Amino acid sequence: MIVIMDTKASDAQVADVVHRLTEAGCLVRRSGMERIILGVSGAGFEPAPALVEGLAGIADVSTTEDGCHLVSRNFSPKNSEIELGQGVTIGGRELVVIAGPCSVKDQDTLYRIAEAVARIGARILRGGAYKPRTSPYSFQGVGEEGLYLLRAAADAHQLLVVSEVMEPSQIHLAAHYCDILQVGARNMQNFPLLRELGRARRPVLLKRGPAATIDELLAAAEYLAACGNVDILLCERGIRTFETATRNTMDLNAVPALNARTHLPVVVDPSHGTGWKNYVTPMARAAVAAGADAVMVEVDVDPDTALSDGAQTLDVEQFARLMDQLRRVAEAVDRTLR
């Protein structure tokens, strides 16, 4: 439910509305400057307009059919800017690039990758310490050792860290090492995981599931927001269709569609979206032109020896060319790129 206060509402009237809602067990989020907007969600129930009926200072009360109140444009017409530390903000004018290997392999390789992507202009180091794999016999990641190496390599080159968590028990440990916790595509609707991440107070990069609609992606983000965490990055990483020429179908329609419906920043991952390194650069350019706030790509000093997803991983020279092209596209759409 969205409660829009009158422009002349007093502080006492706003406080009275908030008190009535919290007394009823609702979580209330406030946004807006000239006009105060209250986003209201309930723990296990849908708040009804009757909760605030008759209270002074209210201009309008509305509900949404999909239940996505806190992540909707109605709650926050202004774009959210997620501040991550070290001067990095996603959702503002600066385009942010996230780069690194699919999986953490060893210290030497990771440090070389971190040095290269930082020098070329990436702001965030990505890398998998826990790896969800289709086959139980595939490489599953190196766990806490990988998180430790990511943090050390990132700190050595003034980068931030994003890595995936697969279950609630991993959140506390990963939050110790990572600036952003990633929810992989397979876990987009892992609701116990989303609830715990909502309580973790660490920015979350939420990947769209391979068969998920935009409505379902926004509903998953609402789980995080309803539990208290509104520092959410939505990631389009391709969906599964009948097409077999690429690993997934890169749905760039999702970028303007999300920008129209939510205030949350949008990240695009063309590495998983296409599955082939030759397609990553064109789709990254297109993502920036479409309005993405950040681009995430897989980069390795030697993709042929990568432990996973080598076919979609750029080498350092390819990444440098990508960054040069993204700077030109960013300038054309009134964005900046370091």
Side-chain angles (χ1 to χ4, degrees), residues 106-298:
D106 59 69
Q107 177 175 318
D108 179 65
T109 301
L110 186 60
Y111 272 61
R112 290 167 61 202
I113 294 170
E115 185 280 327
V117 299
R119 170 171 43 83
I120 295 167
R123 306 298 300 278
I124 303 172
L125 178 66
R126 60 141 292 139
Y130 303 104
K131 296 300 299 179
R133 305 302 298 277
T134 302
S135 170
Y137 306 113
S138 298
F139 174 69
Q140 305 288 315
V142 295
E144 183 177 1
E145 180 186 356
L147 294 172
Y148 172 82
L149 293 176
L150 281 166
R151 182 76 268 163
D155 288 346
H157 299 287
Q158 293 75 57
L159 296 168
L160 301 177
V161 173
V162 58
S163 194
E164 181 174 353
V165 291
M166 296 169 52
E167 55 188 74
S169 64
Q170 297 169 351
I171 293 173
H172 179 75
L173 180 63
H176 177 71
Y177 293 103
C178 301
D179 302 286
I180 309 167
L181 302 179
Q182 176 181 308
V183 176
R186 291 175 174 87
N187 274 318
M188 190 203 80
Q189 290 182 310
N190 182 339
F191 301 122
L193 177 63
L194 296 180
R195 288 191 185 98
E196 288 304 313
L197 284 168
R199 301 181 183 105
R201 303 300 190 270
R202 181 72 74 184
V204 174
L205 189 151
L206 178 65
K207 284 199 164 189
R208 182 182 181 185
T213 64
I214 288 174
D215 284 343
E216 290 166 337
L217 174 60
L218 291 174
E222 189 76 11
Y223 265 87
L224 294 164
C227 289
N229 191 348
V230 293
D231 289 338
I232 306 165
L233 308 169
L234 300 175
C235 184
E236 167 57 44
R237 44 77 70 199
I239 54 176
R240 180 171 293 177
T241 68
F242 56 80
E243 183 55 70
T244 58
T246 53
R247 178 177 180 178
N248 293 293
T249 296
M250 189 82 251
D251 182 17
L252 288 183
N253 293 324
V255 179
L258 288 169
N259 284 335
R261 295 183 56 184
T262 180
H263 54 90
L264 300 175
V266 178
V267 182
V268 172
D269 175 358
S271 298
H272 284 89
T274 64
W276 295 100
K277 64 182 70 180
N278 291 340
Y279 304 158
V280 169
T281 295
M283 296 309 291
R285 295 195 306 254
V288 175
D293 298 292
V295 173
M296 181 161 70
V297 295
E298 293 183 351

Side-chain angles (χ1 to χ4, degrees), residues 93-96 326-327 330-331 333-338:
R93 187 165 179 263
E94 182 183 358
L95 175 72
V96 175
L326 290 188
R327 288 187 181 95
E331 183 179 358
V333 294
D334 198 29
R335 305 293 284 263
T336 62
L337 176 60
R338 192 181 76 166

